[in-house]
Amino acid sequence: IIVKSFELIEKPNIHYSDIGGLEDQINELREVVELPLKNKKLFEELGIEPPKGVLLYGPPGTGKTMLAKAVAAESNATFIHVVASEFAQKFVGEGARIVREVFELARKKAPSIIFIDELDAIAARRIDIGTSGEREIQRTLMQLLAEIDGFKALDNVKIIAATNRIDILDPAILRPGRFDRLIEVPLPDEKGRKEIFKIYLQRMRINENDKLNYDLIAQLTDGFSGADIKNVCTEAGYMAIREGRESIKFQDIIRAIDKIKKKNLRKAINTR
Ligand code: ATP
């Protein structure tokens, strides 16, 4: 069987307006990815080089993949999605071959953005490279670095990577000319949570007698990621379905917050 190691999306269907609470991150990405892809001449005339690679780091479910897709969409760039952990379980030489293929495809489909999720799976600092699996991962990383070093800052290919574990990355990957722009994507603060709730709840049918108290639900969800907030909204929808209603009550959202909170707590205990 052939396992698909990467996914190509001609035009992702995500826009900046779908993302809540990450305004600074969006602005920075526009400057370092979107602008150079759209207006190469400006950079050439000014004589400055944008970063080749950008690293998004922060906890799971905070919108890193969404950000990368949205910049691709708004830059009219092809989006090539690679999950680095998939390289880790391939045959000898396979990981490096896929890396080569991905870059070849990116050049062919330029302007394009290569998104490497879970970068830490191939770019973690290694103390011991004794096993053949470890050596294979090392070879894959070497190929990735060679590919990045092999193109120019103003070529129409950009690389965005994401990780939850910036603390374990090999410093070689962060050197100038590689992933030398780091953008933190943290858990949303209260204002951010309110924005994310708005994005999802405005698309849902709410009981017309209920007024949504966004301040309250933002306060009740301290520590929630964007993914958790989306889960809350979906869960509230299911509560309406189960009770045979055609609209969601404010109380459903409160109950759903409680449910997701308990679920996250159980998960935290189980992974300890
Ligand atoms: P991971 O590290 O687990 O890959 P991630 O940071 O890439 O996570 P995404 O895949 O972008 O997270 O987010 C998961 C889902 O959570 C998104 O599809 C979206 O529905 C929702 N979500 C996360 N963050 C936000 C946000 N800031 N605004 C709106 N929705 C969000």
Side-chain angles (χ1 to χ4, degrees):
I1 49 161
I2 298 166
V3 186
K4 229 173 126 236
S5 319
F6 55 87
E7 183 193 15
L8 184 142
I9 309 174
E10 296 282 352
K11 196 164 174 23
N13 194 19
I14 300 261
H15 303 278
Y16 295 138
S17 58
D18 298 322
I19 305 173
L22 295 174
E23 210 178 304
D24 293 344
Q25 288 81 353
I26 290 172
N27 287 335
E28 196 167 349
L29 280 169
R30 295 195 69 174
E31 229 175 73
V32 296
V33 179
E34 186 184 329
L35 196 59
L37 284 175
K38 279 186 168 166
N39 199 346
K40 185 172 159 169
K41 216 165 144 253
L42 176 68
F43 286 80
E44 284 169 345
E45 282 170 4
L46 281 172
I48 60 166
E49 283 190 347
K52 288 189 204 171
V54 177
L55 179 66
L56 306 175
Y57 68 98
T62 45
K64 296 182 287 297
T65 307
M66 276 187 113
L67 281 168
K69 282 187 176 165
V71 212
E74 315 266 355
S75 316
N76 296 312
T78 310
F79 185 74
I80 303 174
H81 193 162
V82 190
V83 180
S85 60
E86 304 223 333
F87 292 143
Q89 44 231 285
K90 300 277 168 184
F91 305 106
V92 174
E94 185 85 346
R97 184 182 62 78
I98 297 165
V99 170
R100 266 196 308 276
E101 268 178 25
V102 164
F103 277 81
E104 214 173 288
L105 186 68
R107 276 188 290 268
K108 207 168 85 191
K109 294 276 184 180
S112 55
I113 289 175
I114 302 174
F115 178 63
I116 307 175
D117 204 359
E118 301 175 24
L119 182 69
D120 46 280
I122 54 164
R125 221 182 292 122
R126 245 164 287 270
I127 311 149
D128 167 30
I129 50 167
T131 69
S132 67
E134 294 278 299
R135 277 199 300 273
E136 177 56 14
I137 293 170
Q138 188 66 15
R139 265 196 292 272
T140 307
L141 175 61
M142 289 304 153
Q143 186 63 36
L144 175 65
L145 295 179
E147 293 286 351
I148 297 174
D149 294 343
F151 73 88
K152 296 194 196 69
L154 282 170
D155 284 350
N156 282 331
V157 178
K158 289 275 171 214
I159 315 161
I160 302 178
T163 183
N164 313 322
R165 294 299 313 272
I166 193 170
D167 55 309
I168 60 167
L169 290 187
D170 186 334
I173 196 106
L174 306 175
R175 244 174 246 152
R178 292 174 176 169
F179 293 98
D180 53 2
R181 180 64 65 104
L182 307 184
I183 302 181
E184 185 178 6
V185 186
L187 286 172
D189 61 9
E190 197 173 311
K191 184 167 160 280
R193 296 195 296 274
K194 199 166 150 178
E195 277 176 42
I196 300 170
F197 267 120
K198 278 198 177 140
I199 288 169
Y200 292 107
L201 292 175
Q202 270 164 5
R203 300 176 191 163
M204 298 170 65
R205 188 197 278 160
I206 310 294
N207 186 332
E208 50 191 35
N209 300 319
D210 282 14
K211 199 181 161 324
L212 293 181
N213 185 342
Y214 282 106
D215 288 321
L216 177 64
I217 53 183
Q219 280 159 21
L220 290 175
T221 46
D222 190 25
F224 277 40
S225 66
D228 293 329
I229 292 174
K230 189 188 180 191
N231 286 342
V232 165
C233 298
T234 307
E235 186 55 40
Y238 269 106
M239 287 174 177
I241 291 174
R242 284 185 210 118
E243 292 170 15
R245 282 182 276 118
E246 283 174 358
S247 64
I248 292 151
K249 292 189 208 158
F250 184 63
Q251 202 52 38
D252 295 332
I253 302 164
I254 302 286
R255 276 161 62 204
I257 289 172
D258 222 41
K259 192 162 173 181
I260 301 296
K261 224 177 238 177
K262 290 199 178 107
K263 210 176 183 172
N264 286 351
L265 196 64
R266 271 199 305 275
K267 215 163 45 188
I269 291 168
N270 288 336
T271 54
R272 234 198 344 233

